[in-house]
Amino acid sequence: MAEQPGRGELLRRIGALAAPTTLIAVLQATAQLAETVLAARQGTAALAGWAVVLPFSLLLQQMSAGAMGGGVASAIARALGGGRREEASSLVLHALLIALVAGLLFAVLLASFPRALLGLIGGAAVAEAAAPYAMWLFGAGALPAWLANTLASVLRGGGRHALAARVLTVAWLGFPLLGWALAEPLGLGLAGLGIGFALVFWGAALAMAVVVLRGGAGFMPVLRARPQRALFARILSVGLVACGLAAIANLTTVMVTLQLSSYGPVAVAAYGISARLEFLTVPLVFGVGSALTALVGRATGAGDWALARRIAWTGGGMALLLAGCLGLAVGLMPGGFARLFTPDPAVQALAARALAFTGPAFGGFGLGMALYFASMGAGKMRWPMVAALSRFSIAVGGGWLLAGAGMGMEGYFLAVALGITAYGLVTAASVRPGVWRERSAAPA
């Protein structure tokens, strides 16, 4: 039996893979912060419109990069860990076909009926402000985003995180500048932000395709082959469950936004700002999580489940520290964070009240997210699903109960914090020998 690596060696391996993806995450978070500021500069109505699109735009990124993308990276890593290089090569075609279908579904569903869909969440006035942005963002940008993130996941499955990061760096550096130019000097407003997103991701998708087709993942993909049900299952057994988890996470935000909409546009805009902390934390933890998916996938592909669990807990501790420090800093100074996004004093004050509740809970959220990505590498997705449903039930149902008991909006904010905490605890409790053991490659 091979000698097991020590804790220091595991930290080095995780850090080496996490560093380039974390850099991309920082750039993505910065670009999204800039987008929030640009939306706020269009006025409170535009900011509220942007806020109701936010869960769906983040769902696009989370599904394509972290959820189905994680399924792609996991399948390729497990194939390579088991010495099945031809299978890894064939998986690329199957990943691209999945991305094509998913990208078109996002485009059709969210660009065709934005006023009707968004009106159900934020009201007719908010939906009217959001509709042009949503039509460009999803109608022109959903497909290239899926393709670019899927190809990046192919590279990560092959352990080539740095190569994937080089292409995405250009996209996330270019988006704020292009979005600003289209939104303000050219006068396109929120629609300009959607157009900018689409343009940069078409460029990223084309560049990523060139890299992967030239063997950038460590193998040459096989694209002229008959699709196989078994290879689709390798990806979808993890990716579909992970997409369901991403949908539940964003549905939680949508439902809380819907509940708060009865308090008016200021409440919707304020909660959009407070929810931004979660959407900033996800990309930051994704750096560690993507490393865990690849490393755990390699270990389980080779049948070393004890090593897989050690890798998961080492990376989980890193994410706990990273997200905990960020959340605590925001929770202690919520007003400063809120002022980054809006000059409206009423929105600032309400967002600060929300952040004072949710900020301190983000250490557990980071731990849960990291172990969720590790679970994708292991193909063990049952308990992460339980964790996501627990969060939804507490945040939505618990918020309704607390608000009705006299806490008002603060009842919703407290319930969101409790739901985040439950998510982390339940996910962490699943990474143990009784759950993580070899049976099959299908989800537990």
Side-chain angles (χ1 to χ4, degrees):
M1 186 175 182
E3 182 180 350
Q4 293 290 303
R7 179 62 58 86
E9 174 62 17
L10 291 181
L11 287 170
R12 187 195 67 78
R13 291 182 187 178
I14 295 170
L17 294 183
T21 309
T22 300
L23 172 62
I24 291 301
V26 171
L27 293 176
Q28 180 180 348
T30 302
Q32 291 171 343
L33 283 170
E35 182 187 23
T36 311
V37 172
L38 288 170
R41 284 159 64 110
Q42 312 305 311
T44 299
L47 179 60
W50 168 88
V52 297
V53 175
L54 174 65
F56 300 101
S57 65
L58 268 295
L59 182 64
L60 169 66
Q61 287 292 331
Q62 290 166 9
M63 281 190 172
S64 59
M68 192 63 73
V72 171
S74 172
I76 289 176
R78 281 181 282 159
L80 294 174
R84 304 185 300 275
R85 185 168 293 272
E86 290 185 1
E87 179 181 305
S89 299
S90 298
L91 281 165
V92 177
L93 169 64
H94 296 74
L96 289 174
L97 291 174
I98 292 169
L100 178 64
V101 172
L104 291 175
L105 281 175
F106 263 85
V108 171
L109 294 176
L110 291 168
S112 300
F113 314 103
R115 289 175 177 83
L117 176 63
L118 301 175
L120 294 174
I121 302 169
V126 171
E128 186 63 33
Y133 170 55
M135 292 170 69
W136 279 106
L137 178 72
F138 299 112
L143 180 57
W146 266 93
L147 292 173
N149 287 326
T150 295
L151 290 168
S153 298
V154 170
L155 294 174
R156 294 186 186 113
R160 306 299 178 90
H161 292 59
L163 193 53
R166 290 173 195 167
V167 177
L168 293 176
T169 294
V170 177
W172 288 116
L173 285 175
F175 171 56
L177 296 174
L178 184 58
W180 166 78
L182 293 168
E184 297 192 0
L186 292 180
L188 297 177
L190 282 182
L193 298 179
I195 296 170
F197 178 89
L199 289 175
V200 298
F201 269 93
W202 273 114
L206 293 173
M208 202 74 75
V210 171
V211 171
V212 171
L213 292 176
R214 289 181 175 177
F219 55 84
M220 296 298 295
V222 177
L223 300 182
R224 294 183 179 179
R226 178 177 295 179
Q228 301 176 42
R229 179 179 298 180
L231 296 186
F232 280 122
R234 297 277 197 281
I235 298 171
L236 296 175
S237 62
V238 171
L240 279 179
V241 177
C243 284
L245 298 181
I248 292 170
N250 284 275
L251 181 61
T252 303
T253 302
V254 169
M255 291 302 297
V256 174
T257 301
L258 178 61
Q259 289 172 318
L260 288 170
S261 66
S262 62
Y263 294 92
V266 170
V268 172
Y271 182 63
I273 290 173
S274 68
R276 173 55 75 184
L277 177 60
E278 175 179 339
F279 296 130
L280 289 175
T281 304
V282 169
L284 292 175
V285 174
F286 179 61
V288 175
S290 66
L292 296 183
T293 301
L295 292 172
V296 169
R298 292 265 184 153
T300 57
D304 195 341
W305 287 86
L307 176 59
R309 290 191 298 271
R310 291 182 60 219
I311 292 170
W313 278 110
T314 302
M318 295 171 65
L320 172 65
L321 181 63
L322 178 67
C325 290
L326 173 64
L328 187 59
V330 172
L332 292 174
M333 297 179 292
F337 185 85
R339 283 192 293 273
L340 291 174
F341 304 110
T342 178
D344 189 320
V347 177
Q348 289 177 12
L350 190 54
R353 286 166 58 191
L355 289 163
F357 282 94
T358 60
F362 271 83
F365 178 74
L367 173 65
M369 281 296 300
L371 295 179
Y372 151 75
F373 282 113
S375 298
M376 294 174 70
K380 300 292 184 179
M381 301 297 292
R382 177 184 298 169
W383 282 101
M385 176 65 78
V386 173
L389 291 173
S390 299
R391 178 190 174 185
F392 178 86
S393 299
I394 293 170
V396 178
W400 178 76
L401 290 172
L402 291 172
M407 290 191 67
M409 283 186 285
E410 291 190 346
Y412 291 111
F413 303 151
L414 175 58
V416 168
L418 293 174
I420 289 171
T421 302
Y423 170 76
L425 291 176
V426 173
T427 306
S430 71
V431 183
R432 64 183 192 273
V435 176
W436 277 36
R437 61 185 185 272
E438 186 168 12
R439 275 201 237 164
S440 69

